[in-house]
Amino acid sequence: MGLTSRPLLYAMIALSVACVGLTVWLWPRFAGRGPRAVLGRLGAIAATQLAVVAALGLVVNTNFQFYASWHELLGLYDGAPAAVGKWGDEGAAGPAGDPTKGLVQPSGPEGLDKVHGLPKGPPEKNGKVETVRIVGKRTRVVDPAYVYLPPQYFQKQYARQRFPVVVALSGYPGGIFLLGQHLRMPETAAKLVRDGTLQPTVIVMLRPTIAPPRDTQCVDVPGGPQAETFFAQDVPEALKSHYRVGHDPGAWGLLGYSSGGSCALQLAMRHPGTYTAAAALSPDYKVSNDPTTGNLFGDGKDRGKRREEHDLMWRLAHLPSPDVNVLIGTSRSGEKNYPAARAFLAAVRPPMKADSIVLDHGSHNFATWRRELPAALQWMSRTLVFPEEVVGKS
């Protein structure tokens, strides 16, 4: 059974209930003082606690999709992004990671069938959300994605029109399910487009973790996963090959929360020729090694230089300011990142521009980010340029 399957969840809940019942029933038999009675009590307590904790863990993981498979949970993909199996209709679409089969390939549900509030009905009236897998031409990374397409994408008068695109990144270790279900990205975008406060925009929802369970922080790891290359080069090239999205950087933006927000800032500031806007909700402002990342900077002579260049405060102080617009979401109380956010905003210099969403109180959670999301999307709508180019002429 799959890690997120309902049968496994229900079986573990049933096992937990059975363990509790057996413990209550057998407890009088373990009332003595001998070794067997003591071991019996300890065994009953341990078995019951393990079953309950496992059931609670499955409930949380099924709801938040932190790990989508046993392989991710056990870390079997930690070596490199190339070791992927076949997918699709018994592999009929070709081996995953093979760019000759297309840079955007069909995918299964990827949890989309569990997301509430998706557009329903005719796509030309309500828009549509589809699931795909994006294949890196250079990195051969495969990353699942939800793609929100606005109603105008399907309307005849827009048949040759290209659209602005926002690449939305989840935090770590979560995946695209969190962007759909808990951040409510498709539901919010559809409402704003319907109300006319968000220009018709293609929103591509991705997880920044390309080699789960390792947190690669959107960094090209020496001898390891090339996350920066994937998001800065492979993803835009793949989307341009498959969807009617703008080819000019002015039509491209990034949006993310937590570590996804950190990635959004890193990618925009390091690649202003690809992304010209980034909205970051509760981000960090530098990349550091920790137990989830491993060694991100390698052991070569350029290790220190690589670390410095992924420190955004260092970049603002020592490198030319990039021509990008950024939006920072933070809270005066409830989050630890408010002082760092103020320092970052104060360090921004032209031609870079910065705006902020500052809540009086908000914790590091989806309740906070959902409050910030509509304003962030509307800011993105005002910042990105609706492409003038049309299909067949660019």
Side-chain angles (χ1 to χ4, degrees):
M1 289 183 283
L3 182 61
T4 60
S5 67
R6 292 291 175 179
L8 176 63
L9 174 61
Y10 297 149
M12 186 54 65
I13 291 174
L15 178 62
S16 301
V17 173
C19 284
V20 171
L22 284 172
T23 299
V24 172
W25 181 52
L26 294 173
W27 197 258
R29 300 187 183 187
F30 303 142
R33 297 184 177 181
R36 291 183 61 183
V38 172
L39 290 175
R41 291 195 294 270
L42 291 175
I45 292 171
T48 300
Q49 289 186 336
L50 283 173
V52 171
V53 169
L56 289 174
L58 285 173
V59 168
V60 171
N61 188 64
T62 301
N63 191 35
F64 288 95
Q65 298 281 312
F66 292 124
Y67 298 99
S69 68
W70 293 106
H71 283 79
E72 289 187 9
L73 179 65
L74 298 175
L76 300 182
Y77 292 154
D78 194 31
V84 226
K86 292 185 179 293
W87 61 273
D89 185 12
E90 299 180 348
D98 182 0
T100 64
K101 303 297 182 181
L103 302 181
V104 178
Q105 301 177 359
S107 177
E110 301 289 355
L112 187 65
D113 52 335
K114 302 174 185 177
V115 174
H116 301 292
L118 296 177
K120 296 181 180 179
E124 64 273 13
K125 292 184 178 180
N126 303 308
K128 177 185 178 182
V129 180
E130 59 186 28
T131 59
V132 298
R133 290 192 175 187
I134 296 177
V135 180
K137 184 177 181 179
R138 297 163 187 80
T139 61
R140 302 182 74 87
V141 166
V142 182
D143 210 16
Y146 296 161
V147 180
Y148 166 76
L149 301 170
Q152 291 81 357
Y153 193 89
F154 303 96
Q155 295 171 4
K156 291 183 180 179
Q157 61 267 39
Y158 290 90
R160 297 180 60 208
Q161 177 65 55
R162 297 188 185 276
F163 292 81
V165 57
V166 172
V167 175
L169 301 174
S170 68
Y172 173 84
I176 55 176
F177 177 79
L178 301 186
L179 289 164
Q181 175 68 7
H182 296 287
L183 190 60
R184 301 175 188 168
M185 177 71 73
E187 180 181 358
T188 303
K191 182 181 184 301
L192 294 176
V193 170
R194 187 167 58 248
D195 295 343
T197 56
L198 172 65
Q199 65 179 330
T201 303
V202 173
I203 300 178
V204 182
M205 290 156 267
L206 290 162
R207 64 179 185 184
T209 310
I210 66 166
R214 185 176 186 178
D215 182 9
T216 48
Q217 290 282 316
C218 295
V219 170
D220 279 351
V221 181
Q226 302 295 288
E228 183 173 2
T229 297
F230 177 71
F231 288 105
Q233 300 183 52
D234 286 344
V235 168
E237 182 175 357
L239 296 174
K240 291 173 185 177
S241 74
H242 190 80
Y243 294 103
R244 300 197 318 274
V245 294
H247 287 194
D248 188 88
W252 283 75
L254 294 146
L255 187 153
Y257 65 87
S258 191
S259 59
S262 306
C263 281
L265 285 180
Q266 290 276 343
L267 290 167
M269 292 181 64
R270 291 172 61 84
H271 300 275
T274 302
Y275 301 102
T276 57
L281 312 180
S282 306
D284 291 322
Y285 300 94
K286 67 177 180 178
V287 174
S288 303
N289 290 333
D290 63 36
T292 67
T293 67
N295 184 357
L296 293 174
F297 306 110
D299 298 314
K301 295 180 180 179
D302 64 342
R303 179 180 182 180
K305 181 174 181 291
R306 291 172 59 82
R307 182 185 292 106
E308 282 182 340
E309 291 180 349
H310 283 88
D311 182 334
L312 299 184
M313 294 299 292
W314 184 93
R315 293 185 70 89
L316 289 173
H318 296 90
L319 298 179
S321 185
D323 189 7
V324 295
N325 296 325
V326 299
L327 174 71
I328 303 300
T330 186
S331 305
R332 290 187 178 87
S333 65
E335 286 204 78
K336 298 179 181 180
N337 65 2
Y338 180 60
R342 289 189 61 182
F344 176 83
L345 291 167
V348 170
R349 296 289 182 270
M352 185 175 174
K353 299 177 182 178
D355 294 294
S356 64
I357 300 172
V358 182
L359 303 179
D360 289 333
H361 181 83
S363 301
H364 197 81
N365 57 32
F366 286 103
T368 296
W369 301 324
R370 283 196 298 267
R371 292 169 61 194
E372 298 169 334
L373 181 60
L377 286 173
Q378 290 169 330
W379 174 88
M380 193 71 72
S381 183
R382 295 190 300 270
T383 304
L384 297 182
V385 177
F386 199 91
E388 293 184 2
E389 71 259 31
V390 295
V391 176
K393 290 189 178 182
S394 60

